[in-house]
Amino acid sequence: MRKSALPDAAAREAALDPARSFIVQAPAGSGKTGLLVRRFLKLLAAVERPEEILAITFTRKAAAEMRKRVLELAPASRDLGQRLRIQTIDALCASLTRQMPVLSRFGAQPELVEDARAHYREAARRTLNDLSTPVERLLAHLDNNVGTATWLLASMLGKRDQWLRTAGAAHSRERLEAGFALERSRILAAARKLHPDASVDMAGAWLTKEGSWRKKPAAPPALVASAGLREALVGLREMPPERYTDYQWEVLEAILKLLPYAAAHLKVVFGERGEADFTEVAQGAVRALGAPDAPTDLLLALDYRVKHILVDEFQDTSLSQWELLSLLTSEWVAGDRRTLFLVGDPMQSIYRFREAQVALFLQARERGLGGVKLELLTLETNRRSQKNLIGFFNSSFSRIFPEEADAALGAVPYSPAAPDPERKPLAGEAATWHALADREAEAHRVVDLVRAAKDRTAILVRKRDALADIVPALKAAGIRFRAIEIEHLGEKQVVQDLYALTRALSHLGDRIAWLSILRAPWVGLSLVQLHEIAAGDRYATIWELIQDHPGLERFRCILGKAIQERGRGSLRDRVEGVWLALGGPACVESATDLEDAEIYLDELESLEHAGELEDLAALDESLAKLYAAPDLEAADDDLQIMTIHKAKGLEFGTVIVPGLDKGPGRADTPLFLWRERLDETGGFLLAPIKETGADDDPAYRYLRKLELEAEDLEAARLLYVAATRAENRLHLLACTRREDDGSLRAPAPRSLLARAWPVAEPHYARMAPEQLAMDFMRAPRAPLTTLRRLAFDPAGIAAPPAVRWSAPAPVHEEAGIEFSWAGETARHVGTVVHRWLQRIAEDGLPGWDAKRIASLRRRFETDLRRRGVVPAELERSAGLVASALKNTLADERGRWILGPHGQARSEYRLRVRSADGARTYVMDRVFRDRDGRLWVVDFKTSRHEGAAVEAFLDREGERYAAQLDAYAAALGGASRGLYFPLHSGWRSR
């Protein structure tokens, strides 16, 4: 396409100027990744070394995609692979803390944990155990409910990136109350722009309690006719108080003193466990760089080395990341030919729950970042969606989005898009609103739309509960789909059965768990039978009560052996062994259920310690956090189902968005609320949670109102993200109701439909009430869910089809193969070695050496102990782990395997289908080398003592040849390699 064909061609060309700094607003479908790649290539031609360019993304997928495109287009790309600095913001922070371990206060590099809720709870418990005066004050405020106080503190620790600067600073009562006065003045000034006499008294005189104009006596027509005045008067009536009460201040002061102590306890917990969350690493990176007026040697070195910084998805930046970028550019001066290039779309900022602040994008657009002034470039061309869809976006979202930007609330106005001139519009309606009578009718409409779609289709939802009726309807209609992170692992029946089995084997006195496994399909006792067993003796264990029960001989035999093995081996092995012996795999519906069982068992193994589960709550949280595997038989072209957040960055021919009328659900109540105005007016507001049993606190209520307004503004952006995933057709569905008089009922206040109501209402109003009823009556009424009962007698269960198996070619086993190192301990050592090799590969080789491996010896012992290695074997086993890792890092071949490559993956799980059925492979390392050759490498911790090591490695190579051949076939052809870390040995095929 000619460059001049695009409406924003001039902006796209300007963005390639390597001497200027820009902030680029790139709306959905504008091709921002392509623009970043073009800018990166332009800079490559202008710098002396590739390391002078730093590109930062927010996901590994985005970093890998950008690296792949650069390597495909760059000249001499074979020499660039290991020198390109394209990484996620988290990887950058981790690399900075590794280079300055003392200043970052980490010492040995901690392991990153995505879910640190257990750490937050432990820190909160330790904080409350101090029983200091602030703790006493807080507990009295919460009616001495320690559980509530622990939960509130733990939840605040997860968001400490937002408040640590606030709670850690010295705040006087006068300063904070001045913030309230400033806020009241701002609200009053805004109201008096609409009417010079606007006041709280006017609001009380002419507004009802609900906020509408009074009818008796009637409000003056001039006031009623003034646009926006009623809302402004409501705002005056809901202003925060001028000052705190003495009691409020005592509570707030206690919270402000307590939270820094809780954060300090969290650092201790992280240090004890050798772990850290992303916030801790980001803050450590900032500490490692120092301050603009006191830079560290690392910051000075980076200032010398890094000449150009590119940042993708800048609208999702947090305060810590903003501070990091400010430090990295703090020594830059105008004219030194160093540039900053920020790309993002504030209209797609939907990650407030991850601490993203769209106000920072607005601030950078207006005032630059740190000392770097930025030129604004706005892209307009949407190259994804057809012309008629873009017309719908422009006409609709210009009315749904706020008219003006407001950094304090995170309000972002709509920026119109232009279609690609060379893409022709499609005939027919591009976007359609659907009104349904209830959830069942909505589900059947979704089925009809999916069947009618002629291209790749996706169902996108705000919350997973919107799919409660839709998923069963799709299954009943025989429509295959892939649900991406929709169903929680703990909701799967196979996992619930395994969970009950885990609890039963962990505690003989857990009567509910034992009754559950007797109710499970592999035994299938009725409720009456369970009552007969349990009612006999309420104090005896179920295991004791079934000893003489007829028909349970096989069950008792299997469980009895597992009970005898308590404390021996791993809990995962016992649970899995009992499940297999009872016939658990025969009770599942599909291969997907078997995959879910495998995910559960892997998680159980990661949480157990020396063959026991120390914290059942941690397993419960994991089941609530992990998601069931999607249908293994579904292909990429089949229907896709996911949340709107998960769909960001993707595109589909047809997009269906049901459940627009559903609200966001109940929000958490934080320990305290705060609001910092990032605009020129400044100001800071703080309010503590209300006292247990007391009326609403007016200051907290006001700040909560601002928080809800910000969430509603983000909801509009969420709807925009959902709509702009569509290339050809968009369907928006909601269940609407009418009042008794036939008028259309307004949607739930905080639903996506409420945000779109200015646009959607005319469409729904045209549908007559009887039409809604007729649509519902015409819908098929077959039950969406069918419950089935399995036969009690295992012998009565029909045998599955015979498994087809072909005997492998005979292998001549050589007598006397030396393999003296075997057994459970060897397996656990191999698992730990694999885990650390994966981490080294993902972290990157810089920062990993023999000294660092030696410092992690205690960590290796902890990992082995958790897997059940006996104390007598710990020191020797940890030494083997350390030796394996040191050998790999010292070996040129080992560093090549773990180094940066195209399409590199560690512990790569791949499911393949063949004439013999589906099979899952987990490959230790897969990558494509500089010559474009695809490799699959398997790590083997086999150990040989004595002479003839090379002969031993040859035999091992033959031993695992079939396994590597299967891996290569699953990948569609690849070179195969075996690497032996304990010998620095290598065998390839």
Side-chain angles (χ1 to χ4, degrees), residues 114-122 154 620-622 624-626:
E114 293 189 13
D115 183 6
R117 285 177 293 183
H119 304 68
Y120 303 152
R121 284 197 307 271
E122 177 60 24
D620 293 339
E621 286 191 0
S622 293
K625 177 193 69 172
L626 294 173

Side-chain angles (χ1 to χ4, degrees), residues 549-619:
H549 194 283
L552 293 179
E553 294 85 357
R554 178 172 171 271
F555 178 82
R556 289 197 300 270
C557 179
I558 294 170
L559 270 293
K561 292 178 181 178
I563 292 171
Q564 291 174 4
E565 291 296 317
R566 283 194 66 181
R568 303 175 187 172
S570 72
L571 178 62
R572 181 239 168 90
D573 289 343
R574 278 187 287 133
V575 171
E576 186 174 16
V578 170
W579 182 63
L580 292 171
L582 288 173
C587 302
V588 302
E589 287 189 292
S590 66
T592 305
D593 288 337
L594 295 177
E595 189 75 11
D596 291 332
E598 186 71 19
I599 294 172
Y600 171 84
L601 292 169
D602 287 344
E603 184 67 14
L604 176 62
E605 184 177 22
S606 71
L607 294 174
E608 67 175 281
H609 178 77
E612 296 295 338
L613 193 61
E614 290 185 333
D615 187 1
L616 187 62
L619 180 59

